[in-house]
Amino acid sequence: MTTTPQTSQTSQENHVTGATIWLTGLPSAGKTTIAYELAGRLRDEGHRVEILDGDEIREFLSAGLGFTREDRHTNVQRIGFVAELLASHGVKVLVPVIAPYADSREAVRKRHQAEGTAFVEVHVATPVDVCSVRDVKGLYAKQAAGEISGLTGVDDPYEAPEAPDLRIESQNQTVQESAAQLHALLTERGLL
């Protein structure tokens, strides 16, 4: 009788550390751009990576939610739940989501802590005047024209993190430098 040797996982697969990397900041701050830059680098290094983009989540997971404080909180908690679930299974989860309220972000952090899952909060601290010039989605122009209201950081509150794990001033460096700064932090924390 012949036995088949069991296939063994590589040491990298045996020691995969997941983490949620939450990039918060104003609209057009550069959150998503930095997330995609970092994701490419992490994938090149062999990491399992997912990006939970705020716009996609709004369309699929949080369809029907508005932009009231309660709906924004619900949206952030849903994203936080999915992020923690993925991260607990060894995925590096990049979350470029505004998440304007400190208590909502703190609730997500506490969920991660309770589950023993790494959580890194990154504040992409681009000033509103720079964001309004970038205006990737035309939101600032629509708000200025009176076509929309409730724009985070303009006529709706944004509670900037007081003590994020990392603060990136994207207006002072390239996307690659911002992603490298975040990569260095993850390395320092033993998450890569």
Side-chain angles (χ1 to χ4, degrees), residues 84-97:
E84 194 284 323
L85 185 65
L86 288 168
S88 72
H89 290 281
V91 178
K92 304 293 187 289
V93 186
L94 305 176
V95 185
V97 174

Side-chain angles (χ1 to χ4, degrees), residues 46 48 50 52 67 78 92-93 116 119 125 134 184 187 190:
R48 293 171 40 206
E50 289 294 336
L52 299 181
F67 291 91
R78 288 178 183 177
K92 304 293 187 289
V93 186
F119 179 85
R134 290 179 181 173
T187 301

Side-chain angles (χ1 to χ4, degrees), residues 138-176:
L139 297 175
Y140 293 93
K142 287 179 182 177
Q143 191 277 335
E147 296 172 25
I148 62 169
S149 63
L151 181 60
T152 301
V154 178
D155 60 352
D156 208 57
Y158 176 74
E159 299 169 358
E162 291 181 15
D165 297 290
L166 177 64
R167 192 175 314 278
I168 294 175
E169 296 182 359
S170 71
Q171 74 279 11
N172 296 329
Q173 57 193 25
T174 66
V175 172
Q176 293 76 18

